[in-house]
Amino acid sequence: MRSLSYGKVCFLSCCLVILLYVSSPNWVAFASDTEAKALLKWKASLFQNQALNNLTWYPPTHNINATNSSSSNPKPKTSPCTWTGVSCNAAGSVSMINLSRYGIQGTLHEFPFLSFPNLEHVDLNMNKLFDAIPPEISYLSKLYYLDLSENKLSGRIPPEIGLLKNLTFLQLAENAFWGDIPNEIGNLKSLVELYLNDNKLNGSIPRSLGDLTRLTHLYLYGNQLSGSIPEEIGNLKSLVKLIFSENKLNGSIPRSLGNLSNLAYLYLYGNKLSGTIPNEIGNLKSLVDLELSSNILSGYIPQNIMNLERLNTLYLHTNQLSGLIPEEIGNLQSLVDLELSANQLSGSIPRSLGDLTNLTYLYLFENKLSGTVPIEIFNLKSLVDLELSYNTLSGPIPPNIGNLSQLNTLYLDDNQLSGSIPKEIENLKSIVELSLSVNKLNGSILASFDNLSNLENLNLRDNQLSGPIPQEIENLEKLTILYLDTNQFSGHLPHNICQGGKLVNFSASDNHFTGPIPKSLKTCTSLFRVRLERNQLTSNISEDFGIYPNVDFIDISHNNLYGEISCKWGQCPLLKILRLAGNNLTGTIPTEIGNATQIHELDLSLNNLAGTIPKEFGRLTSLEKLMLNGNHLSGRIPSEFRSLTDLEYLDLSTNKFHDSIPGILGNLFKLHYLNLSNNKLVQAVPLELGALVQLTNLDLSHNSLEGKIP
């Protein structure tokens, strides 16, 4: 008994000695000195840059009696506890390293994991760290917070990370990790938040994640994960946010997700999930945001979803859902954003949508919806964006459309709407984009455009609208897109249509417009595309157009335009398509056209042009279609055509070309259409034409050629 008591006393004495030594300034200095040296060793391994210079990490002094005058606890003057981004516990040992957003660059291979037995918090996010996470990270046994996000780390996530049993926060997002998510992460039973999003992780979601019952945030989005969603995810009853979007997940949505009673955000969009939406989703009474879009889900929209009274965002778009939109959708009083577009929904738009007074975005486009547009929708005064296009909606546009004072986007195009455009549309003072195209709307435009000062995009094409265009359209200084084509509009085009100088796309083709080309187009340098073809416009083309640095497409063919072709077209560096056909143009083709080297299609046909084809056409090496037919051009076909190796379509018919057909045309191996008929060509057809194996249409008739076609 004595020996046992004596042993106990000795043991307690030893413990007391050790305790006194550990708590002494000498011990603190020793521990601090060791950790300081370890940090400096890691710093030395990093890239030398300005960010590293900003770290006030200096070698520690060996004089343990030198103390900071401002502290009552003796510490070395250069203790790491005073360094940038470093904090210590009461014993003077490093407990936190926070170098977030410092711009440090390097790896973690030299990080002294074993030297920090008391490290609890590491935040190195938004730096330039690269390469793998060393398995030695498992030595940080007290770590509860680890953030390495927004770096360039790569390789596999080490399974040893599963040994950090105290970890509550793990953030590895926005790196380049690849491979599987290690099963060992399921051992982190204390984990509350897990962020592995925006990496290159593949394989399946490990079932072991279902063991993390304290988890409130689980982000796996933006990877390449495949396979099905494990049923075990339904065990995570503490989850508030579950985000698996933008992966390659397949199979059905597990019914067990209905157990997640605390879930507020469920994002599964951008996968390959199939089958029906489970009714159990309707059990998630805490759900605020439900996004199942961009999958291949089928079947009906479950009635149970209409019980989610807290829901403010519902995205089911871009699936294969069918059937009716439930009338009960009006129960979702908190809805702000409803997107059911790009499905196969049918039937009418439920009037109960008018009860969703908080609704800001309503997307029902690209479905099979029919019937009239319910007037109740136009009582939703919070609506900012209403898109009902690409359905088979019919009937008139309700006049109470003018109630939507907050609306900035209205797409009703590609339906079967009829009647006139209601005058009340002029009350949409916030409107930025307005598209009513491809319908059966008729009558003249009665609305005044004076109030629509924010309008940037107006699309009225493919209707049966008639009468003149209101002159107030000239006051729309923000207008960038104006489509009026394929209607029955008449009268003059507004002269100052580009008054704001921002017009990019202007299309008024296939109408009955008369008078001149709008004067403001000459100085409208913002133009990208102009289509005025098939009208009755009359003006001198040589005076109507200027130099356009961004123009890509011009079509003013089949009007009553006259004058000579301006040399300015050659100063449009990005011009790809120029169509001036079917007018009364005279004079010669300017040689400057050869400077527009990006041209793919040039159509000057059916005019009264004379002279020769400029040899400068040989510079138009991007040319695919050239139509000069129906003019009075003469001379030879230029030998410079040998450079037009991309040419597929060439029509020089009904001119006055003479001499022989040049053999160099046989080098244009992409040519499939060649029409040289109705000219004055002589001599034999060159043998080289026989090499044009792609040629499917050849017309050499009404010339004075000799011999047979090869």
Short mmCIF file of all heavy atoms in Angstrom, two decimals, residues 364-399:
data_model
loop_
_atom_site.label_atom_id
_atom_site.label_comp_id
_atom_site.label_asym_id
_atom_site.label_seq_id
_atom_site.Cartn_x
_atom_site.Cartn_y
_atom_site.Cartn_z
N LEU A 364 -43.81 31.93 -68.97
CA LEU A 364 -44.60 30.77 -69.42
C LEU A 364 -44.32 30.47 -70.89
O LEU A 364 -45.05 29.69 -71.51
CB LEU A 364 -46.09 31.05 -69.23
CG LEU A 364 -46.57 31.39 -67.81
CD1 LEU A 364 -48.07 31.64 -67.81
CD2 LEU A 364 -46.20 30.29 -66.83
N PHE A 365 -43.28 31.04 -71.45
CA PHE A 365 -43.04 30.89 -72.89
C PHE A 365 -42.60 29.47 -73.25
O PHE A 365 -42.19 28.68 -72.41
CB PHE A 365 -42.00 31.91 -73.36
CG PHE A 365 -40.63 31.79 -72.74
CD1 PHE A 365 -39.67 30.94 -73.28
CD2 PHE A 365 -40.30 32.53 -71.62
CE1 PHE A 365 -38.41 30.83 -72.71
CE2 PHE A 365 -39.04 32.43 -71.04
CZ PHE A 365 -38.10 31.57 -71.59
N GLU A 366 -42.75 29.15 -74.54
CA GLU A 366 -42.38 27.84 -75.10
C GLU A 366 -43.13 26.70 -74.43
O GLU A 366 -42.54 25.78 -73.88
CB GLU A 366 -40.86 27.62 -75.03
CG GLU A 366 -40.08 28.47 -76.01
CD GLU A 366 -38.60 28.13 -76.04
OE1 GLU A 366 -38.26 26.94 -76.03
OE2 GLU A 366 -37.79 29.07 -76.08
N ASN A 367 -44.45 26.78 -74.47
CA ASN A 367 -45.31 25.70 -74.04
C ASN A 367 -46.39 25.49 -75.11
O ASN A 367 -46.19 25.88 -76.26
CB ASN A 367 -45.93 26.03 -72.68
CG ASN A 367 -45.00 25.72 -71.53
OD1 ASN A 367 -44.73 24.56 -71.24
ND2 ASN A 367 -44.48 26.76 -70.86
N LYS A 368 -47.48 24.87 -74.71
CA LYS A 368 -48.60 24.65 -75.63
C LYS A 368 -49.87 25.29 -75.07
O LYS A 368 -50.97 24.78 -75.24
CB LYS A 368 -48.80 23.15 -75.86
CG LYS A 368 -47.61 22.46 -76.49
CD LYS A 368 -47.84 20.97 -76.65
CE LYS A 368 -46.65 20.28 -77.28
NZ LYS A 368 -46.86 18.81 -77.43
N LEU A 369 -49.69 26.40 -74.40
CA LEU A 369 -50.81 27.08 -73.77
C LEU A 369 -51.71 27.71 -74.82
O LEU A 369 -51.24 28.23 -75.84
CB LEU A 369 -50.30 28.14 -72.80
CG LEU A 369 -49.43 27.59 -71.66
CD1 LEU A 369 -48.78 28.73 -70.89
CD2 LEU A 369 -50.24 26.70 -70.73
N SER A 370 -53.00 27.68 -74.55
CA SER A 370 -53.98 28.20 -75.50
C SER A 370 -55.00 29.07 -74.78
O SER A 370 -54.90 29.30 -73.58
CB SER A 370 -54.68 27.04 -76.23
OG SER A 370 -55.29 26.17 -75.28
N GLY A 371 -55.98 29.53 -75.52
CA GLY A 371 -56.99 30.41 -74.93
C GLY A 371 -56.50 31.85 -74.89
O GLY A 371 -55.44 32.19 -75.43
N THR A 372 -57.26 32.67 -74.25
CA THR A 372 -56.93 34.09 -74.18
C THR A 372 -55.97 34.37 -73.03
O THR A 372 -55.81 33.57 -72.11
CB THR A 372 -58.20 34.93 -73.98
OG1 THR A 372 -58.84 34.52 -72.77
CG2 THR A 372 -59.16 34.74 -75.14
N VAL A 373 -55.34 35.52 -73.11
CA VAL A 373 -54.49 35.98 -72.00
C VAL A 373 -55.43 36.54 -70.93
O VAL A 373 -56.14 37.51 -71.18
CB VAL A 373 -53.51 37.07 -72.46
CG1 VAL A 373 -52.63 37.52 -71.30
CG2 VAL A 373 -52.66 36.57 -73.62
N PRO A 374 -55.48 35.93 -69.72
CA PRO A 374 -56.44 36.40 -68.71
C PRO A 374 -56.15 37.83 -68.27
O PRO A 374 -54.99 38.19 -68.03
CB PRO A 374 -56.27 35.40 -67.56
CG PRO A 374 -54.95 34.75 -67.79
CD PRO A 374 -54.69 34.78 -69.25
N ILE A 375 -57.19 38.62 -68.18
CA ILE A 375 -57.01 40.02 -67.81
C ILE A 375 -56.45 40.15 -66.39
O ILE A 375 -55.84 41.16 -66.05
CB ILE A 375 -58.33 40.81 -67.93
CG1 ILE A 375 -59.42 40.22 -67.02
CG2 ILE A 375 -58.81 40.85 -69.37
CD1 ILE A 375 -60.69 41.04 -66.98
N GLU A 376 -56.65 39.11 -65.57
CA GLU A 376 -56.17 39.17 -64.19
C GLU A 376 -54.65 39.33 -64.11
O GLU A 376 -54.13 39.90 -63.15
CB GLU A 376 -56.60 37.90 -63.43
CG GLU A 376 -58.08 37.81 -63.12
CD GLU A 376 -58.92 37.32 -64.29
OE1 GLU A 376 -58.34 37.06 -65.36
OE2 GLU A 376 -60.15 37.19 -64.12
N ILE A 377 -53.93 38.80 -65.11
CA ILE A 377 -52.46 38.91 -65.09
C ILE A 377 -52.04 40.38 -65.10
O ILE A 377 -51.04 40.77 -64.48
CB ILE A 377 -51.85 38.15 -66.29
CG1 ILE A 377 -51.89 36.65 -66.00
CG2 ILE A 377 -50.41 38.59 -66.55
CD1 ILE A 377 -51.27 35.80 -67.07
N PHE A 378 -52.82 41.19 -65.79
CA PHE A 378 -52.43 42.59 -65.96
C PHE A 378 -52.81 43.45 -64.74
O PHE A 378 -52.69 44.66 -64.77
CB PHE A 378 -53.02 43.14 -67.25
CG PHE A 378 -52.53 42.39 -68.46
CD1 PHE A 378 -53.36 41.55 -69.17
CD2 PHE A 378 -51.20 42.51 -68.86
CE1 PHE A 378 -52.89 40.84 -70.27
CE2 PHE A 378 -50.73 41.82 -69.95
CZ PHE A 378 -51.56 40.98 -70.65
N ASN A 379 -53.26 42.77 -63.67
CA ASN A 379 -53.44 43.45 -62.40
C ASN A 379 -52.24 43.27 -61.47
O ASN A 379 -52.23 43.80 -60.36
CB ASN A 379 -54.70 42.91 -61.69
CG ASN A 379 -55.96 43.26 -62.47
OD1 ASN A 379 -56.04 44.30 -63.11
ND2 ASN A 379 -56.96 42.38 -62.41
N LEU A 380 -51.23 42.51 -61.93
CA LEU A 380 -50.04 42.24 -61.12
C LEU A 380 -49.08 43.42 -61.24
O LEU A 380 -48.14 43.42 -62.03
CB LEU A 380 -49.37 40.94 -61.58
CG LEU A 380 -50.24 39.67 -61.50
CD1 LEU A 380 -49.51 38.48 -62.07
CD2 LEU A 380 -50.65 39.41 -60.05
N LYS A 381 -49.31 44.41 -60.43
CA LYS A 381 -48.61 45.69 -60.59
C LYS A 381 -47.14 45.64 -60.21
O LYS A 381 -46.41 46.61 -60.44
CB LYS A 381 -49.34 46.77 -59.79
CG LYS A 381 -50.74 47.03 -60.33
CD LYS A 381 -51.44 48.16 -59.61
CE LYS A 381 -52.83 48.39 -60.18
NZ LYS A 381 -53.54 49.51 -59.49
N SER A 382 -46.69 44.52 -59.63
CA SER A 382 -45.26 44.38 -59.32
C SER A 382 -44.48 43.73 -60.45
O SER A 382 -43.25 43.63 -60.38
CB SER A 382 -45.08 43.54 -58.05
OG SER A 382 -45.67 44.18 -56.93
N LEU A 383 -45.19 43.28 -61.50
CA LEU A 383 -44.51 42.58 -62.59
C LEU A 383 -43.45 43.46 -63.25
O LEU A 383 -43.71 44.60 -63.62
CB LEU A 383 -45.51 42.12 -63.65
CG LEU A 383 -46.11 40.72 -63.51
CD1 LEU A 383 -47.00 40.42 -64.70
CD2 LEU A 383 -45.05 39.65 -63.37
N VAL A 384 -42.27 42.87 -63.41
CA VAL A 384 -41.17 43.52 -64.11
C VAL A 384 -40.94 42.84 -65.45
O VAL A 384 -40.59 43.49 -66.43
CB VAL A 384 -39.89 43.48 -63.24
CG1 VAL A 384 -38.67 43.92 -64.03
CG2 VAL A 384 -40.06 44.36 -62.01
N ASP A 385 -41.15 41.52 -65.51
CA ASP A 385 -40.85 40.75 -66.71
C ASP A 385 -41.98 39.76 -66.95
O ASP A 385 -42.24 38.88 -66.11
CB ASP A 385 -39.51 40.02 -66.52
CG ASP A 385 -38.93 39.51 -67.82
OD1 ASP A 385 -39.68 39.33 -68.79
OD2 ASP A 385 -37.70 39.27 -67.86
N LEU A 386 -42.67 39.89 -68.08
CA LEU A 386 -43.77 39.00 -68.46
C LEU A 386 -43.47 38.42 -69.83
O LEU A 386 -43.38 39.15 -70.82
CB LEU A 386 -45.09 39.77 -68.48
CG LEU A 386 -46.32 39.01 -69.00
CD1 LEU A 386 -46.59 37.77 -68.16
CD2 LEU A 386 -47.55 39.92 -69.01
N GLU A 387 -43.30 37.09 -69.89
CA GLU A 387 -42.94 36.43 -71.14
C GLU A 387 -43.88 35.26 -71.39
O GLU A 387 -43.81 34.25 -70.69
CB GLU A 387 -41.48 35.98 -71.11
CG GLU A 387 -40.52 37.15 -70.87
CD GLU A 387 -39.06 36.80 -71.06
OE1 GLU A 387 -38.78 35.81 -71.77
OE2 GLU A 387 -38.21 37.54 -70.52
N LEU A 388 -44.75 35.43 -72.40
CA LEU A 388 -45.75 34.42 -72.75
C LEU A 388 -45.58 33.95 -74.19
O LEU A 388 -46.47 33.31 -74.76
CB LEU A 388 -47.16 34.99 -72.59
CG LEU A 388 -47.51 35.64 -71.25
CD1 LEU A 388 -48.94 36.17 -71.26
CD2 LEU A 388 -47.32 34.65 -70.10
N SER A 389 -44.44 34.21 -74.79
CA SER A 389 -44.23 33.93 -76.21
C SER A 389 -44.14 32.43 -76.50
O SER A 389 -43.99 31.61 -75.61
CB SER A 389 -42.98 34.64 -76.70
OG SER A 389 -41.89 34.37 -75.85
N TYR A 390 -44.26 32.10 -77.80
CA TYR A 390 -44.16 30.72 -78.30
C TYR A 390 -45.20 29.80 -77.65
O TYR A 390 -44.88 28.76 -77.10
CB TYR A 390 -42.74 30.17 -78.12
CG TYR A 390 -41.70 30.92 -78.90
CD1 TYR A 390 -40.93 31.91 -78.30
CD2 TYR A 390 -41.52 30.67 -80.26
CE1 TYR A 390 -39.99 32.63 -79.02
CE2 TYR A 390 -40.58 31.39 -81.00
CZ TYR A 390 -39.82 32.36 -80.37
OH TYR A 390 -38.89 33.07 -81.09
N ASN A 391 -46.46 30.23 -77.71
CA ASN A 391 -47.59 29.41 -77.34
C ASN A 391 -48.62 29.53 -78.46
O ASN A 391 -48.27 29.92 -79.57
CB ASN A 391 -48.16 29.87 -75.99
CG ASN A 391 -47.33 29.39 -74.81
OD1 ASN A 391 -47.34 28.22 -74.48
ND2 ASN A 391 -46.60 30.30 -74.17
N THR A 392 -49.86 29.19 -78.20
CA THR A 392 -50.93 29.39 -79.19
C THR A 392 -52.04 30.24 -78.58
O THR A 392 -53.23 29.97 -78.78
CB THR A 392 -51.47 28.04 -79.70
OG1 THR A 392 -51.90 27.24 -78.58
CG2 THR A 392 -50.42 27.26 -80.46
N LEU A 393 -51.66 31.24 -77.83
CA LEU A 393 -52.63 32.14 -77.21
C LEU A 393 -53.33 32.95 -78.29
O LEU A 393 -52.73 33.33 -79.30
CB LEU A 393 -51.92 33.07 -76.23
CG LEU A 393 -51.20 32.36 -75.07
CD1 LEU A 393 -50.33 33.33 -74.30
CD2 LEU A 393 -52.19 31.66 -74.15
N SER A 394 -54.59 33.21 -78.06
CA SER A 394 -55.40 33.91 -79.07
C SER A 394 -56.17 35.04 -78.42
O SER A 394 -56.06 35.29 -77.22
CB SER A 394 -56.35 32.92 -79.75
OG SER A 394 -57.19 32.29 -78.78
N GLY A 395 -56.97 35.73 -79.23
CA GLY A 395 -57.76 36.84 -78.73
C GLY A 395 -56.95 38.12 -78.65
O GLY A 395 -55.78 38.16 -79.02
N PRO A 396 -57.57 39.17 -78.14
CA PRO A 396 -56.91 40.48 -78.10
C PRO A 396 -55.96 40.62 -76.91
O PRO A 396 -56.01 39.85 -75.96
CB PRO A 396 -58.08 41.45 -77.97
CG PRO A 396 -59.10 40.67 -77.19
CD PRO A 396 -58.96 39.24 -77.65
N ILE A 397 -55.10 41.62 -77.00
CA ILE A 397 -54.28 42.02 -75.86
C ILE A 397 -55.18 42.87 -74.97
O ILE A 397 -55.68 43.90 -75.42
CB ILE A 397 -53.05 42.82 -76.31
CG1 ILE A 397 -52.17 41.98 -77.24
CG2 ILE A 397 -52.24 43.29 -75.10
CD1 ILE A 397 -51.03 42.76 -77.87
N PRO A 398 -55.42 42.48 -73.72
CA PRO A 398 -56.35 43.24 -72.87
C PRO A 398 -55.88 44.69 -72.68
O PRO A 398 -54.68 44.94 -72.48
CB PRO A 398 -56.33 42.48 -71.55
CG PRO A 398 -55.87 41.11 -71.90
CD PRO A 398 -54.91 41.28 -73.03
N PRO A 399 -56.80 45.63 -72.72
CA PRO A 399 -56.42 47.04 -72.55
C PRO A 399 -55.84 47.36 -71.18
O PRO A 399 -55.09 48.33 -71.04
CB PRO A 399 -57.73 47.80 -72.78
CG PRO A 399 -58.81 46.79 -72.59
CD PRO A 399 -58.24 45.48 -73.00
#
